[in-house]
């Protein structure tokens, strides 16, 4: 394995794997018994509860879903998994992860997004009660420039409390949208992209990509 690949995997692992080696009693971890593992192929299709998933060998989330890497499991069904983020921004910060490996939200099939997001009210309500929070941020880092580190679609649920000053940007004054030609042209450009058939085809091509990797 090349040094760059080794470093990247180390970063991904450090993002989620607990730093302690001792597992607290009564902790619920993702179990390897939920499916058989095969570490020989980089693109490893497996079935869990009748669903076929295109697991990637170097993806930490795929490893967690298969039970090959530890994580604190909060919720799991046939479509998605929710775990605690081990580098949390706040107490109770968790990650909702589709089991299907797709590199970004816009490359994820709408049906998978819908099924995954349908669990947000249920999970977020439990997280708020457990943490004593009355609010939360729902966050998706989509693409490297946005801060995405692990290129497997996931949604952050981040509990919030009054005056926790979690985001530095919250103290910044937001500028009003100028109702000028530039704004009008921007809106028109976006509407044109939405009505363009090629935009829909690009989304379908990404979501049907068998290896779950985005096009360059």
């Amino acid at each position: 394995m090349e040094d760059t690949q080794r470093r990247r995997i180390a970063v991904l692992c450090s993002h989620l794997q607990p730093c302690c080696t001792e597992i607290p009693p009564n902790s619920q971890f993702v179990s390897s018994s939920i499916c058989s593992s095969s570490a020989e192929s980089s693109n490893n299709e497996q079935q869990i509860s009748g669903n076929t998933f295109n697991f990637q060998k170097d993806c930490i989330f795929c490893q967690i879903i298969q039970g090959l890497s530890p994580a604190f499991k909060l919720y799991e069904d046939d479509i998605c998994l929710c775990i605690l983020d081990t580098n949390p921004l706040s107490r109770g910060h968790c990650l909702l992860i589709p089991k299907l490996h797709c590199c970004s939200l816009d490359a994820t099939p709408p049906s998978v997004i819908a099924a995954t997001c349908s669990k947000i009210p249920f999970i977020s309500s439990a997280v708020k009660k457990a943490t004593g929070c009355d609010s939360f941020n729902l966050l998706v880092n989509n693409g490297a420039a946005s801060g995405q580190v692990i290129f497997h679609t996931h949604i952050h649920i981040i509990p919030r409390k009054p005056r926790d000053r979690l985001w530095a940007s919250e103290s910044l004054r937001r500028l009003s949208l100028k109702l000028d030609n530039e704004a009008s042209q921007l809106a028109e450009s976006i509407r044109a992209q939405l009505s363009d058939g090629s935009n829909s085809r690009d989304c379908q091509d990404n979501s049907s990509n068998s290896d779950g990797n985005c096009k360059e």
Side-chain angles (χ1 to χ4, degrees):
M1 182 183 297
E2 296 181 359
D3 289 342
T4 54
Q5 291 177 310
R6 191 175 291 108
R7 284 196 300 271
R8 181 172 182 271
I9 293 175
V11 170
L12 300 183
C13 290
S14 66
H15 181 70
L16 280 178
Q17 288 180 339
C19 58
C20 59
T21 55
E22 295 184 1
I23 299 176
N26 302 322
S27 295
Q28 191 174 15
F29 273 69
V30 178
S31 170
S32 58
S33 64
I34 61 174
C35 62
S36 59
S37 63
S38 175
E40 298 301 320
S41 61
S42 59
N43 297 341
N44 182 21
E45 286 197 356
Q46 294 184 20
Q47 283 200 342
I48 300 177
S49 301
N51 295 311
T52 301
F53 299 103
N54 55 335
F55 296 127
Q56 305 292 300
K57 183 179 179 181
D58 62 349
C59 174
I60 186 64
F61 285 163
C62 288
Q63 292 175 18
I64 289 172
I65 292 165
Q66 294 174 90
L68 303 177
S69 187
F72 286 100
K73 179 174 68 174
L74 306 179
Y75 173 84
E76 182 176 18
D77 61 23
D78 293 344
I79 302 298
C80 61
L81 174 73
C82 185
I83 62 174
L84 285 178
D85 191 322
T86 58
N87 287 308
L89 292 172
S90 66
R91 182 171 176 265
H93 179 175
C94 55
L95 306 174
L96 184 57
I97 310 165
K99 290 182 175 180
L100 180 69
H101 179 91
C102 296
C103 69
S104 64
L105 187 67
D106 49 327
T108 307
S111 59
V112 174
I113 296 174
T116 301
C117 288
S118 71
K119 304 304 178 183
I120 291 173
F122 172 64
I123 295 173
S124 63
S125 177
V127 171
K128 287 194 298 179
K129 291 177 181 177
T131 58
C133 294
D134 62 1
S135 307
F136 67 94
N137 283 117
L138 196 64
L139 176 67
V140 177
N141 295 325
N142 199 71
S146 74
Q148 185 178 4
V149 176
I150 300 177
F151 290 89
H152 179 133
T153 300
H154 57 287
I155 302 169
H156 296 258
I157 300 175
I158 307 171
R160 300 294 306 274
K161 291 185 176 180
R163 297 178 295 279
D164 59 13
R165 298 181 180 179
L166 185 59
W167 308 118
S169 61
E170 289 177 342
S171 63
L172 299 178
R173 184 174 63 87
R174 297 181 64 174
L175 300 177
S176 298
L177 177 67
K178 294 182 178 179
L179 304 180
D180 55 12
N181 287 337
E182 182 178 354
S184 177
Q185 291 173 1
L186 174 60
E188 180 59 35
S189 178
I190 294 173
R191 287 194 295 266
Q193 291 296 327
L194 291 172
S195 61
D196 186 359
S198 63
N199 184 63
S200 298
R201 287 193 296 272
D202 288 343
C203 292
Q204 291 173 358
D205 290 343
N206 276 335
S207 63
S208 62
N209 195 355
S210 61
D211 60 6
N213 294 319
C214 293
K215 293 181 177 180
E216 297 294 335

